């Protein structure tokens, strides 16, 4: 299996200058190739292939000698990145590729001539760079991606092949489901509620202060660049805190359970609700689901996503009776059929778990207690579904 280990690196002044040149060359060639591909498509109806982009390099290096300063493999990797970006666009996984900007995160990828020995990372043309190794990697080093954050920190993501095949998944064991929320971040089907720490809200006042100082600086000045770095450091702090929380929670759920069921929420549509947009964005549900998925695959466990239209909150987990409407302010309700009193979030988690187990059993349209659990396509529930309705299930 392929696993990446991310380390902090500390280049010398000379190495930092060469890295800055490498970032600039890669950024320029990516933008040049993207523009040329777009113009070619408009003129001929066909874009440029990966080999076409790579074949541009010899002539460009003769015209601009500064393209020869960074490692040559960095520029060749641009063709792979651009091809992947267009593939994601055509398969509707991402938007049309954008041009790279200098103020954003910069990165280069080196696939050969690399070595990690202790706390020394050897890179082509840069030599040995001090690397703070927090944990020893296993396997063969395949590539290294060196990145520079807007806050001025250097990182090296080392991709290793440990030589082991991905374990076969099995469903023998404990099954649990996770219902995502805002008041509580995650509510599991065993009744546990994990608090939402809301890191953006925690640092919102400090971030606003730094952004106000930035807005007062003259554009293009050194003081504005210093203020920009201070703003970037606050954003970096928020990101690191959130990732630390999500890694620990996802690791705990994967270690303690064999089957993990989660609801596939349309976050892109939900953030259109201006009252909840900031809280939803701060939660990082998509990143959390990604962590759960790959960690479950590494351990040979089962990860299942339930359809976003499944009425988990409005269905009684005891008798499967479905109510017509359940507003967001109602946190507990009583089933009008069996008179069971439900906690809204725990009831939703139980329904998500049961639906996931039915999917795992091989029938997403299976019935329970003689009733159809999920409304069929085209029912009134599906037609009435909107952003407001989905937000009310949190």
């Amino acid at each position: 299996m392929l696993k990446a280990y991310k380390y902090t690196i500390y280049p010398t002044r000379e190495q930092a200058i060469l890295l800055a040149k490498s970032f600039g060359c890669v950024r320029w060639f990516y933008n040049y190739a993207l523009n040329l591909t777009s113009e070619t498509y408009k003129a001929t109806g066909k874009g440029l292939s990966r080999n076409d982009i790579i074949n541009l390099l010899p002539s460009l290096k003769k015209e601009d000698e500064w393209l020869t300063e960074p490692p040559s493999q960095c520029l060749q990797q641009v063709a792979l990145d651009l091809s992947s970006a267009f593939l994601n666009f055509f398969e509707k996984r991402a938007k049309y590729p954008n041009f790279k900007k200098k103020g954003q995160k910069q990165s280069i990828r080196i696939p050969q001539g690399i070595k990690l020995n202790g706390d020394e990372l050897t890179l082509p043309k840069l030599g040995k760079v001090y690397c703070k190794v927090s944990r020893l990697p296993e396997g063969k080093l395949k590539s290294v991606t060196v990145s520079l954050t807007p806050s001025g920190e250097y990182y090296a993501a080392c991709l290793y092949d440990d030589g082991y095949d991905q374990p076969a998944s099995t469903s023998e064991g404990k099954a649990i489901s996770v219902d995502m929320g805002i008041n509580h971040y995650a509510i599991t089907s065993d009744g546990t509620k994990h608090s939402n720490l809301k890191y953006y809200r925690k640092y919102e006042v400090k971030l606003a202060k730094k952004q106000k100082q930035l807005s007062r600086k003259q554009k293009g000045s050194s003081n504005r660049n210093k203020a920009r770095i201070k703003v970037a450091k606050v954003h970096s702090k928020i990101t690191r805190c959130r990732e630390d929380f999500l890694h620990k929670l996802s690791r705990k759920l994967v270690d303690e359970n064999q089957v993990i069921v989660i609801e596939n929420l349309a976050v892109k549509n939900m953030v259109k609700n201006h009252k909840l947009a900031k809280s939803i964005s701060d939660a990082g549900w998509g990143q959390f689901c990604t962590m759960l998925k790959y960690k479950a695959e590494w351990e040979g466990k089962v990860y299942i996503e339930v359809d976003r239209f499944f009425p988990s909150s409005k269905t009684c987990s005891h008798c499967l009776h479905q109510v017509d409407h359940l507003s967001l302010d109602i946190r507990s309700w009583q089933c009008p059929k069996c008179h069971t009193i439900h906690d809204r979030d725990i009831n939703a988690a139980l329904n998500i778990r049961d639906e996931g187990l039915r999917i795992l059993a091989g029938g997403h349209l299976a019935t329970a207690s003689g009733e159809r659990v999920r409304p069929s396509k085209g029912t009134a529930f599906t037609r009435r579904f909107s952003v407001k309705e989905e937000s009310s299930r949190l």
Side-chain angles (χ1 to χ4, degrees):
M1 292 189 296
L2 295 176
K3 292 186 178 182
Y5 299 81
K6 189 176 182 180
Y7 305 119
T8 305
I9 60 174
Y10 301 90
T12 62
R13 181 176 178 82
E14 293 76 13
Q15 291 172 337
I17 293 175
L18 182 55
L19 281 174
K21 292 180 179 179
S22 301
F23 293 143
C25 292
V26 168
R27 183 177 63 252
W28 180 87
F29 183 53
Y30 183 93
N31 293 340
Y32 176 84
L34 175 57
N35 180 68
L36 184 60
T37 302
S38 301
E39 295 298 329
T40 304
Y41 181 80
K42 291 179 182 178
T44 64
K46 294 183 179 180
L48 298 178
S49 65
R50 185 185 308 174
N51 292 332
D52 294 334
I53 297 175
I54 294 177
N55 293 334
L56 296 172
L57 283 173
S59 59
L60 290 175
K61 288 183 178 180
K62 292 180 180 179
E63 297 176 3
D64 302 308
E65 293 184 359
W66 45 269
L67 284 174
T68 61
E69 295 183 5
S72 60
Q73 299 168 356
C74 300
L75 298 175
Q76 295 174 3
Q77 293 297 309
V78 170
L80 179 62
D81 294 339
L82 190 57
S83 299
S84 299
F86 274 109
L87 180 63
N88 292 332
F89 167 70
F90 288 122
E91 294 186 357
K92 299 182 179 181
R93 291 194 298 264
K95 295 182 180 180
Y96 193 83
N98 293 325
F99 292 104
K100 294 184 179 294
K101 298 180 180 179
K102 186 177 181 180
Q104 298 176 349
K105 180 180 177 180
Q106 309 292 313
S107 64
I108 57 174
R109 186 168 64 255
I110 307 174
Q112 294 178 345
I114 50 179
K115 184 180 180 181
L116 179 61
N117 186 14
D119 57 357
E120 291 182 345
L121 179 63
T122 304
L123 300 173
K125 292 193 176 182
L126 278 84
K128 296 181 179 179
V129 184
Y130 176 71
C131 180
K132 189 176 182 181
V133 179
S134 55
R135 52 177 176 172
L136 295 176
E138 298 179 358
K140 181 180 179 182
L141 182 60
K142 306 292 290 185
S143 68
V144 174
T145 301
V146 181
S147 59
L148 172 64
T149 63
S151 57
E153 299 167 334
Y154 291 89
Y155 293 97
C158 302
L159 182 65
Y160 276 83
D161 186 357
D162 58 10
Y164 298 101
D165 296 330
Q166 181 175 316
S169 60
T170 175
S171 59
E172 295 296 328
K174 182 181 177 182
I176 199 170
S177 65
V178 183
D179 180 52
M180 313 304 297
I182 293 180
N183 293 331
H184 292 88
Y185 186 84
I187 302 90
T188 57
S189 55
D190 59 2
T192 305
K193 295 185 177 182
H194 300 273
S195 301
N196 188 2
L197 302 181
K198 302 179 181 179
Y199 290 105
Y200 184 85
R201 300 284 187 179
K202 181 179 179 181
Y203 293 95
E204 192 173 16
V205 175
K206 184 177 182 180
L207 180 61
K209 181 180 178 180
K210 299 298 180 182
Q211 289 174 331
K212 189 175 182 180
Q213 295 173 355
L214 174 63
S215 66
R216 291 175 173 175
K217 300 295 187 291
Q218 183 179 358
K219 291 185 177 181
S221 64
S222 299
N223 287 335
R224 182 178 177 85
N225 186 52
K226 294 178 183 177
R228 180 193 62 79
I229 293 176
K230 291 181 180 179
V231 173
K233 286 184 177 180
V234 179
H235 280 293
S236 178
K237 176 68 174 180
I238 296 172
T239 301
R240 292 199 307 270
C241 290
R242 184 188 297 117
E243 288 180 349
D244 180 71
F245 167 71
L246 297 182
H247 273 298
K248 290 178 179 178
L249 179 58
S250 59
R251 173 50 60 190
K252 174 181 173 63
L253 292 175
V254 171
D255 288 346
E256 295 178 355
N257 303 279
Q258 188 65 30
V259 179
I260 301 172
V261 187
I262 200 163
E263 194 171 17
N264 178 18
L265 296 175
V267 179
K268 183 178 178 181
N269 294 333
M270 296 173 67
V271 294
K272 295 178 182 179
N273 185 339
H274 67 280
K275 295 182 179 179
L276 299 174
K278 186 180 291 186
S279 298
I280 292 173
S281 300
D282 185 24
W285 292 334
Q287 187 178 20
F288 177 66
C289 294
T290 300
M291 291 179 180
L292 278 177
K293 184 176 182 180
Y294 75 73
K295 288 177 182 178
E297 291 176 351
W298 285 355
E299 302 295 332
K301 300 185 178 182
V302 180
Y303 172 85
I304 302 174
E305 287 188 356
V306 172
D307 188 83
R308 65 189 62 165
F309 296 107
F310 176 66
S312 57
S313 296
K314 298 189 292 185
T315 302
C316 174
S317 59
H318 184 261
C319 69
L320 303 179
H321 175 74
Q322 181 179 332
V323 297
D324 295 331
H325 181 70
L326 199 66
S327 60
L328 182 60
D329 59 333
I330 299 177
R331 307 315 302 174
S332 63
W333 58 282
Q334 185 176 22
C335 177
K337 184 177 180 181
C338 67
H339 307 292
T340 303
I341 299 176
H342 295 291
D343 179 284
R344 178 195 183 99
D345 298 324
I346 297 178
N347 175 70
L350 289 171
N351 285 325
I352 293 172
R353 183 200 62 185
D354 295 341
E355 176 70 3
L357 293 178
R358 282 189 284 271
I359 294 174
L360 185 63
H364 66 280
L365 294 178
T367 59
S369 301
E371 296 187 26
R372 199 177 190 83
V373 177
R374 179 187 298 177
S376 59
K377 187 175 181 181
T379 60
F381 172 80
T382 305
R383 292 193 297 268
R384 294 197 310 267
F385 190 82
S386 63
V387 176
K388 183 178 180 180
E389 283 290 320
E390 183 162 352
S391 300
S392 68
R393 306 201 326 271
L394 300 179

